[in-house]
Every structure is written in C-alpha cells, then in structure tokens.
C-alpha cells in the first residue's frame, strides 16, 4: 500500500503563479453574487451545490471580469459588446511572470529611471487589462497601443475611470501610415551562437525539450508574413526606453478558426483575434522589430498559444542573435498558453547548464478531427497503456491519467506498438530500448502522469511527467511517449500526421 509521503511526491500540473491574488483564494461566485447584485443573474448552481458561471455567455464573462477587477483590484472597468473579454487570473499570471523577469539578476537592471518600471503593451485592446493590472498591482507605467478607434476610445475611458492610476498609463493610436524601418537594413542577419548564452535554469530545460521535440510536428508555412499595421517600429518613439514589452497576439488566421470552441465566449474582434499567418507571423514581426529596437527594451515578451509555434519562434530568436531566452507555461483550467521572453542585453553571468535531466515530455495534437474531443484522447491514452498490462488511473475531471508500469510491462507496450498496423515507426522500438544510446531501463516501476490540455480549438497538448524526479530519466520513458504520440496522431489527426 503506497504511503502518503509517496502520494505527495506526484508531479503536479502547472498552476497559477504563487504571487497571483487568486493563487490561494480563487473567486467565490456565490459570495461575489451576494455582494454585487448585477452578477447574481449569471451565477447558477450545479448538482453538487457549487456556484458556476456560464462561460459560453459573453455577458456572463464580462460581468464577472468587471466584478473581479472592482472587488479585488479597485478598478472601474467596462467594454462594449463584441470586444475581447479577458480572464483576470490568467492576465495576472503574465504580469507576475514579467515581475520575475525584471527582478532576476540575469541581465543588468536599468537604473536610468530609478525604481520606475515602464512597459509597452502591444495591442492593448478596449479592455486595457495589462496596463490596468500592472499599474494597480505594482505601480508600473505603461504605453498601450492599438489600431482601432473603438479600442483606443474605450482603453482611454478605462484609464480615466481610475484616477488613482490614470497618470501612469498612456494610450497610443497606431496608424498604417506610421512607417517601419525595413528589416533588411537592421543587420538581423547577424547570428550569434546562443547555445552557451542561454540561462541555465528553467528556460534551459524548456529549450532542451523544444529542440528535441518530435519530428512529427506539421510542417510550418514560411511564406506567411505579417503585413498589418506597425507593432513596435513606427510606434516606439526615438529615444524612448522601456523595461519590457508584452503582447496577447492574435492566435488565429480566420474568425472561423477562432469560433470553433463552443465552450467559451470571450468575444473578440477580427483585429484582436486574427491576422494572416496567425500568431507565428505576428510574433515573428515583433522579433524582427526587436532587432532594430534592441537598445530600447530590456525584455521583449509575448504570449504564445501553440507549442509548435513556440518551437519555431525560439529557433528564430537564435537566428537574430539574442543573448537570453526565457519561457514559461500559463495554465488556467484546461487551457494552456506559453510565455516567451528574450533580450539582447549581455547577461551579468553566463550559466552553462551541464547535463539536463528532462523529467517531462510533451507533444501537440493539431488538426483534431471534429468528432473527437479531449476526453476521447484521454481514453485512448488509458487504453494504450492498459493493453501492455500497466496500471492506469484515469481522472476525467482533471484530464489526467496516472500510469505505473514495470520493466516487463514497458517492453510489452513497445512490443505491441511495434506490431501495430498503423504504427509510424520505421524501426522496432525494442531495438532502441536495448541500445547503448539510451539509459538503462528502470529497475523499479516507472510511474508517471499524462495530462491533456485544451489549447486553441482543434489543438491539444499532451504532457507526460515522471513521478520521481530525483533519479536519472530512463530512455524507455522517451520511447514510450514517442510511440504514444505516433498512435494518437494516426488515430485522431490522420490528415495532419506526418511520417519520417
């Protein structure tokens, strides 16, 4: 019988930032409804008596955001119908991550403005959520930019309605006529070998994971370039200095793609939600602009919605010669996003990581066929391991499967997959299992957890984490996860599956 001590060692899913106001005290919809009668019509109770919010109702999510900003942050806030409605805990995570970046001693601090921190929010939107949170929580100053008249008008209204921080925030209108310095003239072709310049902590672990990601990712279209209004170049003025920029980019290429998820309704205009090439093209332009403006910012950051794009973007950053790359994972409920940060500032100290023990592996399932859901994938993961005799425990509410497999069961799982008619492998995985290029198989049971996260509609993230992190990672763990990825791709993403 496993001890309670061992149970506590199980790997936890990424959680809310510890500095987040909601880390230890999540919103209580029932209490909020009793304090704010305007919220009461939007709160209902499930069979277990828990208060709920209908996330598919824009009016419901907007009123909840208004109440949270007023109750927990002392902010007056509103947006018109159809504008993007932010989730307060998720946006706070991003703010606190930037706070961590600025307080890090990896790169020298900017002492020109004393203790004043200045940020630039690309596409602040009518909600103006990042400047409002950054100013109210931490006293930061902001420039928030946007391209539409509606966004600029309402962002300014939200700033003026909060007199205690209104002097800290400037809203700047972006127009197409604002020219940008041609990228070809910016020397962005200069490449610096960043392998020995990467920070050696959590970022380096993520970099190893990204660089060794499966080759089964869909091919990336390199021809789609951002061609919209200026982002940084042409908006940042001569001589301006900022500690950071941040961005919640348009994740999608079409509004049809943006509207595929029936479980949420956070609004959003085409300018906020889509652009040709989607987030990959949009963030690539921020990277190109950053090469020219490398002296104007300590940190450049952006949120990223797809892990396959994160892999591409980190490669792009190596090409342009950044000195530091940092990544993080934002998890809110069943939604997973990433934060990407980079800098051209020479680091105070160079940390070269030795052998990095990778205790987790992940891959993305893109192009999920419409008849399948995350739960179908979760059930298929359970079946994959049960067929090999492994012990599985599925938690449907948390979308996780806990697996324990002996050495013989690991062999059986790989043996079964080697005989699978749809298997994409070109060699017997058992040969790699015994190969000297892999670490020895585990002498004890191999215990790990597999989690399924919803990303954008039609895209899931599957993440496998070892339960015990204090020992070397057996190569069989990587082999099994590779086989699982091939199986799931063949079953759920046939049109997008690629083969070596």
């Amino acid at each position: 019988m496993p001890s309670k001590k061992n149970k506590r060692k199980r790997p936890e899913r990424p959680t809310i930032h510890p500095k987040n106001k909601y880390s230890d005290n999540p919103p209580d919809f029932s209490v909020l409804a009793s304090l704010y009668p305007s919220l009461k019509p939007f709160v209902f109770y499930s069979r277990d008596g828990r208060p709920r919010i209908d996330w598919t109702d824009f009016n419901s999510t907007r009123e909840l955001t208004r109440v949270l900003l007023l109750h927990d942050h002392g902010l007056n806030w509103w947006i018109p119908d159809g504008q993007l409605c932010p989730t307060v805990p998720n946006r706070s995570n991003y703010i606190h991550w930037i706070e961590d970046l600025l307080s890090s001693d990896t790169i020298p601090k900017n002492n020109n403005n004393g203790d004043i921190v200045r940020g630039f929010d690309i596409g602040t939107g009518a909600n103006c959520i990042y400047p409002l949170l950054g100013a109210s929580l931490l006293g930061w100053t902001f420039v928030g930019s946007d391209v539409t008249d509606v966004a600029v008008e309402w962002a300014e209204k939200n700033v003026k309605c909060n007199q205690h921080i209104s002097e800290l925030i400037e809203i700047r209108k972006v127009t197409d006529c604002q020219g940008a310095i041609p990228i070809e003239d910016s020397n962005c072709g200069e490449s610096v070998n960043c392998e020995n310049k990467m920070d050696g902590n959590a970022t380096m672990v993520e970099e190893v994971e990204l660089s060794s990601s499966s080759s089964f990712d869909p091919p990336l279209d390199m021809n789609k370039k951002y061609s919209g209004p200026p982002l940084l170049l042409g908006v940042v003025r001569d001589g301006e200095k900022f500690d950071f920029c941040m961005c919640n980019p348009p994740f999608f290429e079409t509004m049809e793609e943006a509207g595929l998820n029936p479980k949420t309704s956070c609004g959003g205009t085409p300018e906020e939600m889509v652009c040709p090439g989607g987030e990959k093209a949009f963030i690539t332009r921020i990277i190109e602009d950053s090469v020219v403006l490398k002296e104007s910012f300590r940190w450049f950051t952006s949120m990223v919605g797809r892990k396959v794009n994160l892999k591409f973007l980190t490669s792009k950053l190596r090409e342009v010669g950044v000195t530091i790359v940092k990544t993080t994972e934002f998890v809110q409920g069943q939604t997973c996003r990433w934060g990407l940060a980079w800098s051209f500032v020479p680091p105070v100290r160079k940390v070269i990581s030795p052998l990095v023990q990778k205790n987790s592996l992940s891959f993305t399932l893109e192009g999920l066929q419409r008849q399948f859901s995350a739960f179908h994938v979760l059930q298929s993961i359970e079946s994959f391991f049960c067929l090999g005799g492994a012990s599985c425990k599925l938690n449907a509410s948390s979308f996780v499967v806990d697996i324990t497999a002996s050495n013989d069961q690991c062999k059986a799982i790989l043996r079964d997959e080697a005989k699978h008619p749809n298997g994409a492998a070109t060699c017997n995985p058992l040969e790699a299992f015994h190969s000297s290029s892999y670490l020895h198989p585990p002498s004890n049971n191999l215990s790990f957890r597999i989690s399924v996260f919803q990303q954008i509609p039609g895209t899931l993230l599957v993440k496998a984490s070892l339960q015990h992190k204090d020992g070397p990672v057996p190569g069989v763990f990587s082999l099994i996860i590779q086989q699982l990825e091939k199986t799931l791709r063949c079953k759920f993403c046939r049109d997008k599956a690629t083969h070596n």
Side-chain angles (χ1 to χ4, degrees):
M1 182 175 178
S3 66
K4 292 183 179 180
K5 184 177 181 181
N6 288 334
K7 286 184 178 180
R8 285 196 296 267
K9 287 185 176 180
R10 288 193 174 191
E12 298 294 331
R13 290 155 65 90
T15 57
I16 196 166
H17 194 286
K19 293 181 181 178
N20 196 309
K21 188 181 290 285
Y22 306 101
S23 176
D24 298 319
N25 188 28
D28 187 320
F29 302 149
S30 179
V31 172
L32 290 172
S34 67
L35 295 174
Y36 300 91
S38 59
L39 181 65
K40 192 172 183 178
F42 302 109
V43 176
F44 64 96
Y45 293 85
S46 58
R47 291 181 179 178
D48 60 3
R50 294 183 181 181
R52 304 287 187 183
I53 290 287
D54 181 3
W55 301 109
T56 65
D57 181 3
F58 174 79
N59 291 320
S60 174
T61 57
R62 176 174 57 180
E63 183 60 21
L64 175 62
T65 296
R66 186 191 74 81
V67 167
L68 288 178
L69 288 174
L70 179 60
H71 182 74
D72 294 323
H73 302 276
L75 294 170
N76 296 300
W77 177 92
W78 190 250
I79 55 172
D81 292 351
Q83 299 294 308
L84 183 65
C85 183
T87 55
V88 179
N90 178 275
R91 300 309 198 267
S92 299
N93 280 342
Y94 193 175
I95 289 288
H96 288 300
W97 179 56
I98 291 180
E99 182 187 11
D100 292 342
L101 291 175
L102 297 179
S103 62
S104 168
D105 61 354
T106 306
I107 63 175
K109 292 178 171 57
N110 182 4
N111 295 320
N112 294 339
N113 297 323
D115 295 330
I116 298 175
V117 173
R118 194 176 189 214
F120 191 101
D121 182 21
I122 302 171
T124 196
N127 59 73
C128 194
I129 189 68
Y130 290 128
L132 291 173
L133 286 176
S136 63
L137 287 171
L138 300 164
W140 293 348
T141 63
F142 272 89
V143 171
S145 67
D146 214 295
V147 68
T148 70
D149 291 335
V150 173
V152 171
E153 176 188 355
W154 279 90
E156 289 178 340
K157 285 182 178 180
N158 280 317
V159 171
K160 291 177 181 177
C161 285
N162 295 281
Q163 289 296 320
H164 60 297
I165 58 170
S166 61
E167 294 299 319
L168 301 178
I169 302 171
E170 173 195 348
I171 304 301
R172 192 172 293 180
K173 175 70 183 296
V174 178
T175 59
D176 286 316
C177 63
Q178 290 173 296
I181 302 172
I183 297 299
E184 291 76 8
D185 299 336
S186 64
N187 296 322
C188 67
E190 296 179 3
S191 179
V192 177
N193 183 359
C194 301
E195 293 299 321
N196 292 333
K197 293 184 178 181
M198 295 292 183
D199 182 81
N201 298 314
T203 301
M204 196 65 185
V205 174
E206 182 68 20
E207 281 298 297
V208 172
E209 180 177 335
L210 292 172
S211 62
S212 60
S213 181
S214 169
S215 61
F216 298 101
D217 287 329
L220 296 167
D221 186 353
M222 301 294 293
N223 297 321
K224 294 183 179 179
K225 301 292 185 181
Y226 176 79
S227 57
L231 302 182
L232 287 174
L233 285 173
V235 185
V236 174
R237 295 165 184 164
D238 290 343
E240 282 190 312
K241 298 285 185 181
F242 294 90
D243 292 279
F244 66 91
C245 71
M246 63 192 309
C247 180
N248 189 35
F251 292 131
F252 309 101
E253 295 193 54
T254 66
M255 285 301 286
E256 289 76 17
E257 182 186 6
L260 285 177
N261 190 352
K263 295 184 178 180
T264 59
S265 179
C266 294
T269 64
E271 291 82 4
E272 293 172 302
M273 304 291 285
V274 305
C275 78
E279 66 175 9
K280 187 180 73 171
F282 195 93
I283 302 172
T284 296
R285 173 50 61 91
I286 297 177
I287 293 174
E288 293 169 343
D289 285 4
S290 75
V291 176
V292 184
L293 296 170
K294 62 176 70 174
E295 302 296 330
S296 300
F297 291 82
R298 286 181 64 214
W299 287 101
F300 299 86
T301 79
S302 179
M303 193 177 286
V304 183
R306 299 186 184 185
K307 189 167 188 179
V308 66
N309 288 338
L310 187 66
K311 177 181 176 182
F312 166 81
L313 294 167
T314 52
S315 298
K316 180 69 176 178
L317 288 169
R318 291 193 188 97
E319 293 175 8
V320 302
V322 301
T323 58
I324 305 281
V325 173
K326 290 264 190 186
T327 62
T328 194
E329 200 170 0
F330 301 121
V331 174
Q332 197 68 36
Q334 284 302 126
T335 300
C336 189
R337 297 281 184 262
W338 283 268
L340 176 64
W342 65 96
S343 179
F344 294 89
V345 178
V348 174
R349 53 186 175 84
K350 295 182 181 179
V351 181
I352 303 175
S353 176
L355 176 64
V356 177
Q357 302 285 2
K358 189 166 59 170
N359 295 290
S360 66
L361 298 167
S362 63
F363 56 88
T364 301
L365 295 177
E366 280 203 333
L368 204 69
Q369 298 181 63
R370 286 178 179 266
Q371 66 268 33
F372 297 122
S373 67
F375 187 68
H376 290 111
V377 173
L378 196 70
Q379 288 180 313
S380 185
I381 292 171
E382 181 187 34
S383 298
F384 175 90
F385 291 102
C386 285
L387 288 174
S391 172
C392 299
K393 184 178 180 181
L394 186 149
N395 187 328
S397 62
S398 300
F399 279 78
V400 300
V401 183
D402 289 315
I403 300 108
T404 301
S406 66
N407 189 24
D408 289 339
Q409 289 167 346
C410 290
K411 291 180 181 179
I413 292 168
L414 293 174
R415 187 182 299 112
D416 288 342
E417 289 307 305
K419 296 184 293 185
H420 197 284
N422 292 328
T426 57
C427 64
N428 188 337
L430 286 173
E431 295 177 4
F433 179 82
H434 294 293
S435 170
S436 59
S437 64
Y438 278 86
L439 299 174
H440 293 296
S443 56
N444 299 318
N445 289 343
L446 186 67
S447 298
F448 52 97
R449 167 173 289 183
I450 296 187
S451 308
V452 178
F453 297 97
Q454 174 75 48
Q455 294 188 271
I456 64 172
T459 302
L460 298 176
L461 173 73
V462 180
K463 183 171 184 178
S465 303
L466 283 172
Q467 178 175 334
H468 302 292
K469 299 183 178 182
D470 52 352
V473 180
V476 67
F477 178 56
S478 298
L479 283 173
I480 288 175
I481 301 307
Q482 288 174 22
Q483 293 302 314
L484 174 65
E485 178 182 3
K486 295 171 189 175
T487 300
L488 295 179
R489 284 189 184 278
C490 287
K491 184 172 182 179
F492 297 106
C493 310
R494 294 186 186 278
D495 293 339
K496 297 223 173 185
T498 58
H499 302 276
N500 279 343

